[in-house]
Amino acid sequence: MNKKEKFIIRGLGGKRALKGRVSLNGAKNSALKAMAGAILFEGKVELNNIPNTEDVHTLNDILVDLGAKIQWKDNDPSSKTLYIDASTMNKTDINSEKAKVMRASVVLTGPMLARFGKVSFPAPGGCVIGARPIDLFIEGYKKMGATVRLQDEIYYIECPKLKEAEINFEKITVGGTETLMMASVLISGKTVLKNCAKEPEIVNVASWLNACGADIEGVGTDTITIVGTGGHLLKPQNSYRAIPDRIEAGSFLFLGALTAEELYIDNCNPEHLSLVIDLLKNSGVSIDIVDDKTIKITNSQNVENKSYRAFNVTTKEYPGFATDLQSPLVTFLTQCEGESAVTETIFEGRFKYVNDLVDLGARISVIDNNKAVVSGPTPLYQSQDNHLTAHDIRAGFAIVLACLIAKGNFTISNIHLIDRGYESLETRLRAIGADIRRE
Ligand code: EPU
């Protein structure tokens, strides 16, 4: 993977000039969980449509450190096919440094506890998008009979035989739902998880586990029931395929609306995007669902800078408006006519990028750290300092989008954060006519 650390962008100055097709990758937030799920299997599993992103590589390194054998098809990550054999795993302590880089690694704890009866990992601290505690995981493990010890910032969790339990999540958690679901797959007895997250990525992983011998019911609803295999590992009789990345899709929808004359988004699942598509259509964006894998955005009026209408959004768990699309949305709203309020309900620290948009000319105020009020439209332009920074994966995309709209030349640093979630973003944007390069 290219480690060059900056994007250099020449903005379009409000023109909607990009044209062509972008193809989506497999969903990172499903692929990472399937990689963890490989620990539940006897022998080598095949995972397909795996995005070649930094987070996938980090989790790969953590699994290798634990003794798993991992190989890309033809030794080439662009093959998108990854083979994982967890039968050689010989450690139960998750590498602290790597795990701190990627908090999603906590999802490994469920399958590891299920298979090896113990696991240790670093206590996650706060991160740029919020506090991100793991109390709901810990509570769940305790209900399943595990002992939990925290010493020198390392959690030690042990339970030779996890037992059946009913776990009612106090708060909806994607990672908690996936992790406790996977922790339950090999037990003797039945686990009932209540108040679960319903994200399509969870359904994607559970369907694969079921196709290989797991008994998981109710995924995609509030209540998931898992009848364990009684200690039998799953059989790699079916391969996994990551669903299209709906967050990437949503990101490109906002990008298309603001910068494209005509943009096709290929390899997507429009059903997972219905809310975003409706919001954008109501705002005046011309969107066609071409078929079950393709969406088209057209600047039908062909008028530069024609404004869309402002609207209000509150982020919510799926099927609500995804927190991961909040920052591209706010960038979009800077170009809409009127006042919009965006309320963040999932993470408390997710408006840090707003200052950068304001430096580019946007009119946004953040209230109580959880609500952004945007007044638009405002042309964006290069201020005296044209250096910007990616704060997290999604805010990084939002800043790229803002620079593409704006008039001027920009440098964005810290782009390894963008690489965590968007594979070769600059290559795909250049292919549709954007002036962006990595340096
Ligand atoms: N929470 C707790 N206690 C817990 C677990 C979560 O209080 O034990 C809180 C969190 O602090 C947060 C809320 O519950 O306020 C929801 O967190 P959740 O567990 O659902 O998030 P996650 O599993 O850590 C995943 C995605 C995020 C995405 C969120 C919400 C992965 C690897 N990450 O995180 O994706 O924002 O769900 O949809 O699946 C991204 O891709 O850029 C990203 C941040």
Side-chain angles (χ1 to χ4, degrees):
M1 182 153 291
N2 195 334
K3 292 285 179 201
K4 289 181 178 173
E5 258 304 287
K6 284 185 184 123
F7 280 154
I8 312 291
I9 297 178
R10 181 197 296 269
L12 294 159
K15 294 195 180 75
R16 293 186 200 149
L18 304 188
K19 198 168 180 179
R21 311 188 84 100
V22 282
S23 185
L24 299 183
N25 290 303
K28 139 186 117 73
N29 289 347
S30 177
L32 294 171
K33 318 309 164 60
M35 290 171 74
I39 296 170
L40 298 168
F41 282 77
E42 165 191 308
K44 184 165 87 176
V45 300
E46 180 181 316
L47 310 179
N48 295 305
N49 205 25
I50 302 299
N52 184 8
T53 57
E54 280 296 319
D55 273 5
V56 165
H57 289 279
T58 305
L59 194 59
N60 186 333
D61 292 349
I62 294 173
L63 282 163
V64 167
D65 181 67
L66 291 166
K69 277 200 199 123
I70 310 193
Q71 207 180 8
W72 290 98
K73 187 176 179 190
D74 304 325
N75 288 322
D76 179 5
S78 67
S79 69
K80 311 261 180 220
T81 294
L82 190 61
Y83 300 104
I84 304 184
D85 184 348
S87 58
T88 49
M89 279 175 71
N90 52 10
K91 267 163 83 175
T92 54
D93 49 324
I94 295 174
N95 181 295
S96 290
E97 290 317 308
K98 293 268 180 197
K100 277 181 187 154
V101 174
M102 193 186 58
R103 309 172 56 84
S105 55
V106 70
V107 79
L108 293 170
T109 61
M112 286 179 71
L113 202 54
R115 181 163 185 164
F116 304 112
K118 62 178 185 171
V119 62
S120 63
F121 61 100
C127 77
V128 70
I129 64 174
R132 304 188 82 179
I134 54 159
D135 53 315
L136 303 172
F137 294 66
I138 301 294
E139 243 170 69
Y141 288 147
K142 283 184 178 163
K143 283 221 165 112
M144 294 181 79
T147 56
V148 178
R149 189 163 53 90
L150 178 63
Q151 194 183 329
D152 300 332
E153 310 264 297
I154 304 280
Y155 274 109
Y156 297 86
I157 305 188
E158 278 192 40
C159 191
K161 245 184 161 187
L162 289 167
K163 60 174 198 206
E164 59 180 7
E166 182 172 311
I167 296 161
N168 192 349
F169 293 110
E170 206 180 290
K171 185 172 183 180
I172 297 177
T173 157
V174 174
T177 300
E178 294 161 329
T179 306
L180 287 160
M181 177 181 87
M182 291 200 275
S184 306
V185 163
L186 305 180
I187 69 164
S188 298
K190 182 164 88 175
T191 307
V192 180
L193 305 177
K194 292 191 167 165
N195 197 27
C196 293
K198 305 187 197 94
E199 270 62 4
E201 292 75 20
I202 310 177
V203 179
N204 188 201
V205 173
S207 308
W208 169 57
L209 298 176
N210 279 344
C212 298
D215 182 352
I216 306 170
E217 256 186 37
V219 188
T221 73
D222 289 325
T223 304
I224 301 179
T225 305
I226 307 107
V227 178
T229 61
H232 301 291
L233 292 172
L234 302 183
K235 301 222 183 298
Q237 56 211 21
N238 284 293
S239 58
Y240 157 89
R241 183 172 182 82
I243 54 171
D245 195 317
R246 66 193 162 90
I247 303 301
E248 229 190 31
S251 307
F252 284 121
L253 279 172
F254 290 117
L255 182 134
L258 292 180
T259 64
E261 191 183 323
E262 183 181 83
L263 183 70
Y264 287 87
I265 302 175
D266 291 320
N267 290 325
C268 66
N269 182 343
E271 273 178 29
H272 294 160
L273 295 156
S274 47
L275 177 59
V276 182
I277 290 173
D278 286 351
L279 287 170
L280 285 175
K281 276 186 169 173
N282 288 336
S283 172
V285 181
S286 168
I287 301 183
D288 292 308
I289 299 183
V290 179
D291 57 38
D292 60 356
K293 289 196 176 63
T294 315
I295 302 175
K296 179 185 172 193
I297 296 194
T298 325
N299 178 14
S300 45
Q301 294 88 355
N302 216 9
V303 178
E304 288 171 17
N305 278 332
K306 183 177 187 306
S307 297
Y308 300 122
R309 287 179 289 280
F311 53 94
N312 299 333
V313 169
T314 298
T315 62
K316 279 260 182 281
E317 298 84 2
Y318 189 84
F321 190 92
T323 172
D324 289 343
L325 288 176
Q326 179 249 94
S327 48
L329 165 74
V330 168
T331 305
F332 173 79
L333 292 171
T334 66
Q335 303 307 302
C336 289
E337 180 86 45
E339 191 173 276
S340 336
V342 177
T343 308
E344 172 61 51
T345 68
I346 309 293
F347 292 111
E348 72 270 29
R350 247 189 160 173
F351 282 122
K352 296 202 172 74
Y353 64 93
V354 161
N355 288 338
D356 294 326
L357 293 183
V358 169
D359 285 347
L360 294 173
R363 282 205 306 272
I364 310 173
S365 31
V366 175
I367 300 162
D368 293 339
N369 223 17
N370 69 356
K371 185 175 181 179
V373 177
V374 187
S375 304
T378 45
L380 303 184
Y381 50 83
Q382 177 182 343
S383 59
Q384 263 181 337
D385 181 12
N386 65 345
H387 285 81
L388 298 136
T389 302
H391 292 284
D392 69 62
I393 305 176
R394 311 301 169 186
F397 183 94
I399 291 301
V400 169
L401 175 54
C403 292
L404 282 174
I405 306 164
K407 191 171 171 55
N409 296 296
F410 304 93
T411 302
I412 303 178
S413 54
N414 239 7
I415 58 168
H416 68 274
L417 291 176
I418 300 174
D419 292 335
R420 287 183 57 177
Y422 298 90
E423 176 182 333
S424 309
L425 181 61
E426 77 282 17
T427 312
R428 287 190 284 166
L429 292 179
R430 261 206 315 273
I432 56 173
D435 190 342
I436 175 171
R437 65 178 198 279
R438 186 182 287 255
E439 232 172 41

